[in-house]
């Protein structure tokens, strides 16, 4: 039991480390563009200053400078906005996943932030990650563990689902259900899960990738978070060569938990 708990904590840390590395790499692009544009603005401004000081300013010089500044400011604004969005997503997801505290939030916003942190890993593959999220769902539950659930299932699909496919699609969908429940579905069009494995995929240490990237704990952690902390259920339906569908059903308001129960899911 102690060894399993230690491995689970290691799995969470590895997930957070991967998130940090991916976001750092992703932020390099807009920040690098911003530095290049800022340097160009400084250089062109110095050139224009020298023209003004010479007293030989032509209308074409002013027009050219203003045109360049307009284009540069637009590029700078877009690049910095992209970087700011990435930082915001990473900050909120990192805080949620390291504290495991419950709070009230818009589900679409939280899932979008989680997916934003997964996109760098997806971009390294030929596969796509698509969203179909209800904008109106508000929840009072644990966004960090819920994000860990989504991360684990998406990473599981990237690791297992597309071995025999050059290009695949993973879709994350959320809908409101009667009786104050929410359904989150994560579907892929990959190779599917053999029938003999479907009853075992949530068991601890069950993996077909031991030693090559799989620990057999990702879906076990997922199952425990959903059924214990979030008070919900998870099921999987799959046919070979037809893809897999994970269906998560959780209450909009999570059951009350003690601080000790909450801390069990902290990194």
């Amino acid at each position: 039991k102690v060894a399993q708990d230690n491995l689970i904590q290691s799995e969470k840390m590895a997930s957070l480390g991967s998130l940090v590395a991916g976001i750092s790499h992703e932020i390099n692009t807009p920040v690098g563009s911003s530095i290049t544009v800022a340097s160009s603005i400084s250089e062109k401004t110095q050139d224009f200053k020298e023209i003004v000081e010479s007293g030989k300013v032509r209308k074409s010089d002013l027009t050219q400078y203003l045109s360049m500044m307009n284009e540069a400011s637009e590029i700078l604004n877009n690049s910095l906005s992209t970087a700011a969005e990435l930082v915001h997503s990473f900050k909120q997801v990192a805080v949620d996943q390291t504290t495991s505290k419950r709070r009230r939030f818009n589900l679409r916003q939280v899932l979008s932030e989680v997916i934003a942190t997964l996109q760098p890993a997806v971009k390294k593959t030929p596969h796509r990650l698509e969203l179909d999220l209800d904008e109106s769902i508000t929840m009072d539950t644990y966004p960090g563990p819920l994000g860990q659930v989504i991360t684990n299932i998406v990473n599981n699909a990237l690791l297992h689902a597309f071995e025999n496919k050059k290009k695949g699609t993973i879709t994350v969908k959320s809908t409101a259900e009667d009786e104050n429940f929410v359904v989150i579905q994560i579907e892929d069009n990959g190779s599917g899960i053999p029938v003999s494995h479907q009853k075992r995929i949530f068991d601890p240490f069950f993996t077909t990738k031991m030693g090559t990237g799989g620990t057999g704990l990702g879906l076990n952690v997922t199952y425990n978070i959903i059924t214990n902390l979030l008070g919900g259920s998870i099921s999987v339906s799959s046919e070979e060569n037809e893809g897999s569908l994970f269906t998560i059903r959780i209450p909009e308001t999570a059951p009350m938990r003690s601080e000790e129960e909450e801390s069990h899911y902290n990194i």
Side-chain angles (χ1 to χ4, degrees), residues 21-198:
I23 290 297
S24 298
H25 177 77
E26 199 76 359
I27 287 176
N28 275 341
T29 300
V31 170
S33 296
S34 298
I35 292 173
T36 300
V37 171
S39 176
S40 179
I41 288 175
S42 177
E43 181 181 331
K44 295 297 182 183
T45 299
Q46 182 60 37
D47 291 343
F48 186 68
K49 178 183 177 184
E50 292 175 1
I51 293 174
V52 171
E53 290 174 347
S54 71
K56 299 179 181 179
V57 181
R58 296 172 298 178
K59 183 179 180 180
S60 60
D61 294 325
L62 181 58
T63 301
Q64 184 178 6
Y65 177 72
L66 291 175
S67 175
M68 187 280 299
M69 288 297 291
N70 183 60
E71 182 180 354
S73 61
E74 185 175 341
I75 294 173
L76 197 58
N77 184 58
N78 291 338
S79 296
L80 291 175
S81 294
T82 299
E85 289 172 6
L86 287 167
V87 169
H88 175 77
S89 296
F90 165 69
K91 180 181 177 181
Q92 189 59 65
V93 170
V95 168
D96 283 338
Q97 290 196 8
T98 53
T99 60
S100 294
K101 297 297 184 182
R102 71 182 294 157
R103 64 181 174 89
R104 194 168 183 81
F105 58 88
N106 177 273
L107 180 61
R108 180 180 182 275
Q109 181 179 347
V110 164
L111 292 185
S112 296
E113 289 170 349
V114 171
I115 296 302
T117 65
L118 292 173
Q119 288 292 3
V122 177
K123 285 181 179 179
K124 295 178 182 179
T125 74
H127 314 307
R128 291 184 302 156
L129 187 53
E130 298 182 348
L131 302 180
D132 181 9
L133 306 176
D134 189 318
E135 298 182 4
S136 63
I137 299 174
T138 300
M139 304 188 73
D140 179 6
T141 185
Y142 300 87
L146 178 58
Q148 186 70 45
V149 163
I150 304 303
T151 298
N152 286 353
I153 296 177
V154 170
N155 284 338
N156 186 72
L158 291 174
L159 183 62
H160 296 281
F162 305 117
E163 285 185 317
N164 301 320
K165 288 202 171 188
K166 292 183 179 180
K167 291 184 179 180
T169 302
I170 302 171
T171 303
V172 180
K173 180 180 181 180
S174 67
T175 54
E177 190 181 69
D178 292 338
E179 302 176 3
N180 300 316
F181 273 79
V182 171
V183 172
I184 301 172
Q185 294 180 309
I186 305 174
E187 184 174 17
D188 67 70
N189 61 349
S191 55
I193 304 170
V195 176
S196 59
H197 293 171
Q198 290 183 28

Side-chain angles (χ1 to χ4, degrees), residues 1-16 97 100 148 152 202-205 215-225 228 263-267:
K1 178 63 176 176
V2 171
Q4 183 174 340
D5 286 344
N6 288 339
L7 283 170
I8 287 172
Q9 298 305 315
S10 297
E11 176 112 342
K12 290 181 180 179
M13 288 300 291
S15 175
L16 190 62
Q97 290 196 8
S100 294
Q148 186 70 45
N152 286 353
F202 298 117
D203 292 347
F205 305 113
T215 63
L217 287 171
L219 290 183
N220 177 249
V221 170
T222 294
Y223 179 85
N224 288 331
I225 289 173
N228 295 325
S263 66
H264 177 73
Y265 295 91
N266 287 344
I267 292 178

